[in-house]
């Protein structure tokens, strides 16, 4: 698919009144931050939304901020995939606020972004609150030793965690 920002407006018009939507996969589209802003207009209405895939959509920190503002209203959200975008530590900072409120979250994929050690540290502050989180992928995020160390402190509190992906993050012995 090659849905861009203009196509998102058309999709929003069609889905605007659909309040029972549970799964939404917009991955591999050229949505960008502008399209995320358009979609945010209706995203908050989907109280039953359990699965959201915005991977490879070209969103950056602004798009992450916009999504975070509306995702806090999606209390059933269990699966969130924002992988392969351009989200940095600033975008991670915005997502942290919503992760605390997503009590149903079981799957979080932020791989192939650039949250770095700072973003990993921010996530570490709230991961202990994600009691149902069983899958976490932060691979290819330039986390480094410092970020990995911050995550290591809190991962013991993540009792449901069964899958953890931290590969390709330049983590050495010091980060463990």
């Amino acid at each position: 698919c090659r849905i861009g920002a203009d196509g998102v407006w058309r999709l929003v018009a069609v889905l605007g009144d659909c309040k029972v939507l549970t799964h939404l996969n917009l991955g591999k589209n050229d949505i960008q931050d502008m399209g995320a802003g358009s979609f945010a207009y209706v995203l908050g209405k989907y109280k039953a939304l359990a699965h959201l895939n915005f991977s490879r959509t070209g969103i950056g920190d602004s798009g992450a901020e916009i999504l975070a503002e509306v995702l806090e209203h999606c209390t059933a959200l269990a699966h969130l995939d924002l992988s392969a975008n351009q989200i940095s530590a600033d975008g991670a900072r915005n997502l942290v606020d919503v992760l605390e409120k997503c009590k149903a979250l079981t799957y979080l994929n932020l791989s192939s972004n650039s949250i770095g050690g700072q973003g990993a540290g921010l996530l570490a502050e709230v991961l202990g609150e994600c009691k149902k989180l069983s899958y976490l992928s932060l691979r290819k995020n330039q986390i480094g030793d410092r970020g990995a160390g911050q995550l290591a402190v809190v991962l013991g509190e993540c009792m449901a965690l069964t899958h953890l992906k931290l590969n390709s993050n330049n983590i050495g012995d010091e980060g463990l």
Side-chain angles (χ1 to χ4, degrees):
C1 289
R2 291 281 116 214
I3 299 172
D6 291 337
V8 170
W9 271 112
R10 291 185 194 110
L11 188 59
V12 164
V14 171
L15 295 176
D17 293 324
C18 182
K19 292 180 177 69
V20 294
L21 188 69
T22 60
H23 286 68
L24 180 61
N25 184 342
L26 290 173
K28 296 183 182 177
N29 283 292
D30 193 28
I31 292 173
Q32 306 287 326
D33 290 340
M34 182 183 226
S38 302
F39 205 79
Y41 176 74
V42 295
L43 194 58
K45 295 179 183 180
Y46 304 143
K47 305 293 184 210
L49 187 67
H51 180 113
L52 179 63
N53 183 345
F54 254 74
S55 67
R56 296 179 180 167
T57 55
I59 64 169
D61 295 335
S62 297
E65 179 180 10
I66 291 164
L67 288 175
E69 288 174 7
V70 294
L71 286 177
E72 68 181 54
H73 303 291
C74 300
T75 55
L77 189 65
H79 181 112
L80 179 59
D81 190 342
L82 297 174
S83 63
N85 282 299
Q86 292 126 26
I87 300 171
S88 73
D90 290 335
R93 179 175 288 109
N94 293 310
L95 292 171
V96 161
D97 293 336
V98 74
L99 292 178
E100 284 184 296
K101 297 173 184 161
C102 291
K103 302 296 183 192
L105 194 66
T106 60
Y107 179 102
L108 177 60
N109 189 348
L110 292 173
S111 63
S112 299
N113 279 288
S114 56
I115 65 168
Q118 182 182 5
L122 292 166
L123 287 172
E125 293 177 13
V126 297
L127 283 178
E129 300 298 317
C130 301
K131 302 294 185 196
K132 294 183 178 183
L133 190 67
S134 62
Y135 180 99
L136 175 63
S137 181
L138 298 175
R139 61 187 193 85
K140 295 184 179 180
N141 263 296
Q142 306 155 6
I143 290 173
D145 289 335
R146 183 171 167 260
Q150 291 172 306
L151 287 169
V153 171
V154 73
L155 287 175
E157 298 173 31
C158 301
M159 300 309 224
L161 193 64
T162 59
H163 291 80
L164 175 63
K165 295 187 177 190
L166 293 174
N167 54 304
S168 302
N169 271 304
N170 199 26
I171 300 170
D173 291 342
E174 294 81 25
L176 300 177

